[in-house]
Amino acid sequence: MRARALGMVLAIAFALSPAAMAQEVVIGALSDMTGATSDVGKDYALGIAEAVNYCNDNGGVNGKQIKLIQFDYGYRVPEALTKYKLFQRMKAVAIEGWGTGDTEALAPTVTADKMPYVSASYSGHLTDPKKTPYNLFAATDYSTNARATITAWHDTRWKKHADNGKRKPRFACVYMFASPYASAPIKAIKDQATLLGFDIGPDQDVSLFAVDTKSQVLGLKDFKPDVVWHGNTTMSVSAFMRDAYALGLGADHIVNLWGLDENLPRLAEKAAEGTMGATVCAFYNEPNIPLMPKVVEYAKKYNPGVPQEKRLIRTVQAWSNVLALWEAMKRADKAGALNGEGILKKGFETMKDVDLGLGGAKLTYTSTDHRVSGSVPVYEVKGGKFHLVQVTDIKSRWPDKWPTWMGW
Amino acid sequence: MDLILMTLTTGILVGGIYALVALGWVLIYKCSGVLNLAMGEMTLIGAYVSLSFYSMGIPFLLSLLFSLIIGFILGVLTERIFLDRLIGEPVLTVIMVTVGLSFFFKGTVEFLWGTDTRAFSPPVFSIEPIRLGPLIIGRVYLWSFVAAIILLVVFVSFFKYTRWGLAMQATADDEMAALSVGVSARYVYAAAWAIAFMAAGVGGTLLGNINGLNISVGYLGLLVLPVVVLGGLNSVPGAILGGIIIGVLQNFCGAYLDRYFPGGVKEIAPFAFMAVFLLFKPFGIWGWERIERV
Amino acid sequence: MSTSFLPCGEYHQNYHEDHAWWQTKFIKGKMVLLMLVLFIGIPSVADSYWLSVCNQIGYTALGALGVQLLIGFCGQVTLGHAAFLAVGAYTSTLLILEFPWPKFLVELGLAYPISILIAAIVAGIWCVLFGLPSAKVKGFYLILTTMAAQFITVDFVITQYISQIGGRGQAFSLPPGTIKIGPWVIDSDLKVYYMMLVLVILLTALVLNLLRSRVGRAWVAIRDNDISAEVMGINVVQYKLFAFFVAGFIGGVAGAFWISNLAAISPEHFPWFWSLWLVGVILIGGVGSIHGTIFGSIFMVVVMELLQMAVIPLASSFPKLLMDFLFIKEAAFGLAICAFMIFEPNGLAYRWWQSKNYFNLWPFSY
């Protein structure tokens, strides 16, 4: 056992020796490429690697190259923990995380260790710097997105509805109760619905792996909702939409961002027409986005084996997170503090209205609020493709309520 | 009344798919005594193979046929390579080997086809449902049920009326006696696995048509277990009946019980029901009762 | 009553020596050396990463100990053990956070140790609940009822009901400083490591002693042939349920330990995959042997880590290659499990026993 440990130490030293010689900044990345969320995790992981290459090609962190150590942890949380320790050992200054599982599990540890953790889990309760100062992400959080989406639906569809003004619109939520990620924004969206004057119906529990959801659709039929919120990922959202179409539920669908990607119209076909949802950045290869040609170019260059039609918006999300971290690291380095605390205080928290050029909101972090913005682009599906409906800014519409919405 | 009828119909139709996959499971157990925990991944392989052929432009039924042929070959290979050496080993070892097999299949499927969600496009079944009075039935479900019934009839007649079927039944009943009459146990095992792969393949293809194909379709493998336990591990009609019962049960629990609990009843209802049922009928509905002697 | 060979010239003069755990001076010396290495040696050379690997090994070993008891010594196959770890973890967490402890207990830092004990007892009782079918059901059907335990507990009871207690939802973290044993706050890997060592040693000693007693003999009799055992007069149902209780107890301790490792909890930490993993651990280590549990845990954790580390040189090249390697790794892992089962069905403990005998019998080890 000890001989093996010695051999491993030698192997690691060998692997790291080139790193020790060059001037390098190490960041770690945890991805799910083989586990339960691998259908979107893989695309995101590819995006991270390509974005890091872009950063290195454009000067790295003020001349220092970024060394990315990327691990797949297959959504097995105990492994995420040991990988985190390995990253610390390899002197990583920040970590690109992935989903709710690893982010929640490591939140107390990264707070104690002062390690910036940029996750793809945009959960509302990670935005409070008093509780989780080192959990960050370059995106509007789930709760803000949910509020913006239902507001946008109310602004556009309900205003044109025949019953507008005659009765209250009806709203119901469909999500997996047991999943922390799916249930994260529910309280916020119900609060927003009450604010806008909706009648709220019974929640329906649909598993992330559901194939048949007819009983849940039938559970809503009596309530006759006008709009239904989907908290799950694409496969189960599509299952529900197809069943709703077959059974004639007649409701509009608004979907959270992990259920809204290029696969949705492919899976649900006609049933997905008219679906609305918020995103945190533009879709892959969307025209008129400044940095999109670079995203596509790097995707083709570094992963030529993955066909272009397979690439999803998740790649662009990954680019957002990496570019934001890069910007923060550059600022921290200029201030002479390229370590965990520096990246947070002198990096992220000095960013105001930073536009990454990927079609998302302008990022602003303050020491009291890690929500990047209140402005959320809302898209809809028309003819199998995504079109921008409007950019809803809930911060400027409810400025007095905005500070109270932080953290949940 | 409408709700009850709709729930019942959906349950029966979905149960047909469960029954199909359970069929393969029961076959393996009946003929070779192997408790197979890799059923979900076998479903995946069949589904992805038909998807590949379909994406190449081959018509659906023909791709299904090709996937059946490949399933047959894979079944024979699996049995030969992995399970031959385990004849006589304790039950737990065999189960763990099937678990290892499931990781192996999953890794191979991910390697060959990636982890993205894929859909059969152009869609094989129209999304428009069929309306029969108050009932609304999705086309995919109807065809899955029909396929399950057809396969059931095929299998039952195979077992009853052909020599091969009789040989497999004989081996399942008493291996020593079958060997002494000249039945080759190895061929029987290989045939069992081959048929299981084929049944799982058809089930998987149909499932993939319902809502797109992804690794998560393999989690169906877990649901197969309550189905076969309910129906009895050794009984082919039991598998069909168990599938339908579980399908109906899930749907009824989802429709009626969800409001009394904070939610999530639909997923665990099969397991809870099975656990309670076993207390009354320890061998399932039609399972063979084992009489143990010291 | 020595299970290993006694060298020539060694003889015992009273029952006390004969019943001793460590029979010869040589074995005593070995064990002292082992304790020195574990308590002093490893913490002084290992850094945080390797300590966390050791903690992971300890956690796996604690989980696998309960499974080994049920499968290896009592013959009841269980495929749902992660549920009881979850019960232990959640009970302990909720007790620490919600229960109104009297001031002096919190001051003395006894809240967490007492909560571990209570969590273990609750987990044991919960396990007995799901062990009740074993009175009537055997073999594969029992496997299925334990699987049902896994899903019902983790996916339903915990996520739906338990998460309501305290209003935190099902995935939450503990504020720093809440986990205290006596005067020490458990917040670093080193302290978790010592806690892990103490727990593993205590529980292993508990299990070994149980196995040596009447209870253990009854379990082995049930495992070998439960009908004969009943004929002989052993109350089979009672001993089976007791086995479930002890296994649940150990699982509860493991779960309560887990929260100190991570200071966060979620039902996602206890998936069905983990139950399967624990069974795999004992199969690879050797069924029916406590050595096997430890070896199996060490093997599985270290191999997973090594495989991941072998990926480091690849991480800097094209990501697509990295991903293909991951899938190959998963497939290779499955193949490795199959290969182990086919070629080494008695596990690592068997190999260990063989090499020990080689040295013990040298130069006549043929």
Side-chain angles (χ1 to χ4, degrees), chain A residues 139-141 143-149 151 192 278-279 353 360-364 369-378 390-399 402 405:
Chain A
T140 42
D141 61 277
S143 309
T144 309
N145 290 341
R147 288 182 190 265
T149 319
T151 311
Q192 187 76 1
T279 63
D353 285 335
K362 296 208 195 21
L363 311 175
T364 305
D369 191 346
H370 279 174
R371 288 177 298 175
V372 301
S373 171
S375 132
V376 180
V378 177
Q390 66 175 45
V391 177
T392 317
D393 190 339
I394 60 173
K395 183 174 171 184
S396 53
R397 279 166 76 153
W398 289 279
W402 174 252
W405 287 341

Side-chain angles (χ1 to χ4, degrees), chain B residues 25 35 37 81-82 85-86 89 92-93 95-97 99-101 103-104 106-108 110-111 114-115 222 225-226 228-229 232-234 260-265 268 271-272 274-275 278-280 282-284 287 292-294, chain C residues 71 77 79 132-133 136-145 147-148 151-152 155-156 160-161 164 225-228 231 272-273 276-277 279-283 287 324 327-328 330-335 337-338 341-343 345:
Chain B
W25 196 99
L35 299 157
L37 285 182
I81 300 178
F82 292 101
R85 297 159 218 261
L86 290 173
E89 294 286 339
L92 198 58
T93 314
I95 294 183
M96 267 328 267
V97 168
V99 170
L101 266 181
F103 285 137
F104 174 61
K106 183 155 167 269
T108 319
E110 285 170 343
F111 177 67
T115 48
L222 281 180
L225 298 171
V228 296
V229 164
L233 291 184
N234 318 73
Y260 297 114
F261 295 93
V265 184
I268 61 132
F271 288 98
M274 169 194 77
L278 280 180
L279 291 177
F280 299 103
F283 292 103
E292 289 180 63
R293 298 195 164 79
V294 180
Chain C
I71 299 186
V77 180
L79 228 50
L132 286 174
K136 248 200 138 171
V137 169
K138 277 197 233 185
F140 187 61
Y141 298 99
L142 186 65
I143 298 178
L144 266 284
T145 48
M147 251 177 72
F151 293 113
I152 296 179
D155 290 336
F156 188 65
Q160 308 294 358
Y161 288 108
Q164 317 280 18
N225 194 327
D226 54 345
I227 301 181
S228 319
V231 166
W272 185 52
F273 168 79
L276 281 180
W277 191 255
V279 175
V281 163
I282 67 161
L283 278 174
V287 190
D324 280 348
F327 300 140
I328 298 177
E330 178 132 353
F333 197 71
L335 272 181
I337 294 185
C338 293
M341 294 293 114
I342 294 175
F343 297 112

Side-chain angles (χ1 to χ4, degrees), chain B:
Chain B
M1 189 57 208
D2 264 359
L3 186 61
I4 296 183
L5 217 54
M6 273 278 1
T7 321
L8 190 66
T9 326
T10 319
I12 294 181
L13 293 178
V14 169
I17 304 185
Y18 296 156
L20 202 51
V21 182
L23 209 71
W25 196 99
V26 164
L27 272 172
I28 295 182
Y29 182 73
K30 214 166 136 90
C31 301
S32 62
V34 169
L35 299 157
N36 181 15
L37 285 182
M39 210 64 201
E41 280 71 21
M42 285 159 62
T43 332
L44 267 186
I45 293 185
Y48 269 105
V49 167
S50 357
L51 180 66
S52 314
F53 283 123
Y54 188 70
S55 322
M56 289 200 274
I58 304 178
F60 182 65
L61 281 177
L62 213 52
S63 351
L64 199 56
L65 190 64
F66 285 155
S67 91
L68 284 179
I69 297 177
I70 297 202
F72 185 87
I73 300 176
L74 278 176
V76 175
L77 277 176
T78 311
E79 196 276 332
R80 274 295 138 83
I81 300 178
F82 292 101
L83 290 133
D84 251 357
R85 297 159 218 261
L86 290 173
I87 301 179
E89 294 286 339
V91 164
L92 198 58
T93 314
V94 176
I95 294 183
M96 267 328 267
V97 168
T98 59
V99 170
L101 266 181
S102 79
F103 285 137
F104 174 61
F105 286 151
K106 183 155 167 269
T108 319
V109 163
E110 285 170 343
F111 177 67
L112 290 174
W113 284 288
T115 48
D116 330 300
T117 312
R118 312 204 8 189
F120 281 80
S121 56
V124 179
F125 301 101
S126 154
I127 195 177
E128 300 296 331
I130 305 176
R131 284 160 213 279
L132 294 173
L135 292 178
I136 304 177
I137 306 179
R139 275 170 213 265
V140 182
Y141 291 101
L142 190 63
W143 282 110
S144 314
F145 187 67
V146 167
I149 298 295
I150 293 179
L151 275 174
L152 162 67
V153 169
V154 165
F155 283 142
V156 169
S157 36
F158 172 72
F159 277 120
K160 270 184 105 165
Y161 300 119
T162 68
R163 281 195 71 195
W164 262 120
L166 280 178
M168 288 173 91
Q169 281 204 351
T171 319
D173 195 9
D174 188 335
E175 192 178 313
M176 282 294 179
L179 281 172
S180 61
V181 191
V183 171
S184 165
R186 296 185 66 200
Y187 284 164
V188 166
Y189 294 166
W193 275 85
I195 298 180
F197 255 100
M198 294 199 291
V202 174
T205 315
L206 292 167
L207 267 178
N209 266 296
I210 294 183
N211 197 33
L213 201 54
N214 185 314
I215 302 290
S216 63
V217 169
Y219 296 137
L220 184 80
L222 281 180
L223 261 184
V224 159
L225 298 171
V227 169
V228 296
V229 164
L230 205 59
L233 291 184
N234 318 73
S235 159
V236 168
I240 306 285
L241 188 64
I244 296 184
I245 293 182
I246 295 281
V248 171
L249 180 75
Q250 265 202 323
N251 272 283
F252 269 106
C253 287
Y256 289 103
L257 287 183
D258 253 351
R259 61 194 82 175
Y260 297 114
F261 295 93
V265 184
K266 195 170 173 176
E267 312 308 321
I268 61 132
F271 288 98
F273 182 71
M274 169 194 77
V276 170
F277 187 80
L278 280 180
L279 291 177
F280 299 103
K281 290 206 75 149
F283 292 103
I285 301 178
W286 287 325
W288 295 355
E289 302 223 353
R290 285 183 53 209
I291 303 175
E292 289 180 63
R293 298 195 164 79
V294 180

Side-chain angles (χ1 to χ4, degrees), chain A residues 21-297:
Chain A
M21 288 192 257
Q23 265 280 42
E24 273 196 339
V25 175
V26 179
I27 64 175
L30 282 173
S31 318
D32 179 10
M33 298 190 237
T34 53
T37 53
S38 52
D39 51 340
V40 288
K42 187 190 94 167
D43 210 57
Y44 187 88
L46 291 178
I48 295 215
E50 290 153 14
V52 170
N53 280 315
Y54 172 78
C55 298
N56 280 337
D57 289 343
N58 285 284
V61 178
N62 300 329
K64 295 191 259 274
Q65 291 286 290
I66 304 179
K67 183 168 163 67
L68 173 71
I69 309 181
Q70 196 168 20
F71 277 125
D72 164 49
Y73 77 105
Y75 223 83
R76 291 182 289 264
V77 178
E79 277 187 52
L81 184 60
T82 44
K83 291 300 154 296
Y84 172 78
K85 303 283 177 194
L86 188 60
F87 288 147
Q88 277 187 309
R89 193 173 198 254
M90 300 183 120
K91 308 232 187 324
V93 295
I95 299 191
E96 293 275 348
W98 170 239
T100 323
D102 57 287
T103 312
E104 294 291 336
L106 287 171
T109 323
V110 301
T111 310
D113 293 339
K114 295 203 169 65
M115 171 80 79
Y117 196 89
V118 183
S119 62
S121 164
Y122 308 141
S123 197
H125 69 269
L126 295 171
T127 52
D128 188 350
K130 285 202 279 301
K131 301 211 183 103
T132 50
Y134 284 89
N135 281 89
L136 302 145
F137 38 85
T140 42
D141 61 277
Y142 292 146
S143 309
T144 309
N145 290 341
R147 288 182 190 265
T149 319
I150 194 172
T151 311
W153 183 86
H154 191 261
D155 289 343
T156 51
R157 299 280 175 83
W158 184 244
K159 290 270 152 50
K160 293 192 227 128
H161 198 275
D163 288 344
N164 181 16
K166 293 189 213 150
R167 62 168 172 89
K168 284 182 168 187
R170 289 185 287 262
F171 172 67
C173 296
V174 172
Y175 62 102
M176 179 170 176
F177 294 7
S179 158
Y181 128 75
S183 43
I186 297 296
K187 209 162 128 199
I189 200 178
K190 285 193 177 161
D191 177 66
Q192 187 76 1
T194 319
L195 187 67
L196 291 169
F198 278 80
D199 257 338
I200 304 184
D203 291 349
Q204 296 297 318
D205 187 2
V206 172
S207 156
L208 286 173
F209 306 116
V211 172
D212 164 60
T213 56
K214 293 217 175 54
S215 59
Q216 288 96 330
V217 175
L218 291 171
L220 279 181
K221 260 204 123 165
D222 281 337
F223 177 68
K224 285 206 249 311
D226 297 299
V227 62
V228 171
W229 160 261
H230 292 273
N232 284 348
T233 50
T234 321
M235 291 249 329
S236 77
V237 170
S238 143
F240 190 90
M241 282 189 190
R242 290 171 76 118
D243 285 336
Y245 180 83
L247 293 173
L249 187 66
D252 278 342
H253 300 279
I254 54 178
V255 184
N256 79 98
L257 74 98
W258 288 107
L260 194 76
D261 60 29
E262 292 81 340
N263 276 326
L264 189 64
R266 263 182 241 153
L267 286 177
E269 308 155 36
K270 259 188 275 180
E273 279 298 303
T275 306
M276 286 173 75
T279 63
V280 297
C281 54
F283 282 87
Y284 185 79
N285 217 354
E286 190 174 320
N288 299 327
I289 306 288
L291 211 53
M292 193 59 73
K294 282 281 171 204
V295 175
V296 178
E297 176 198 324

Side-chain angles (χ1 to χ4, degrees), chain C residues 22 48 54 57 87 114 130 132 158 185 209 272 299 355:
Chain C
W22 300 334
S48 179
C54 291
I57 294 178
V87 169
I114 296 182
F130 283 101
L132 286 174
I158 289 185
V185 179
N209 273 302
W272 185 52
F299 182 79
S355 18

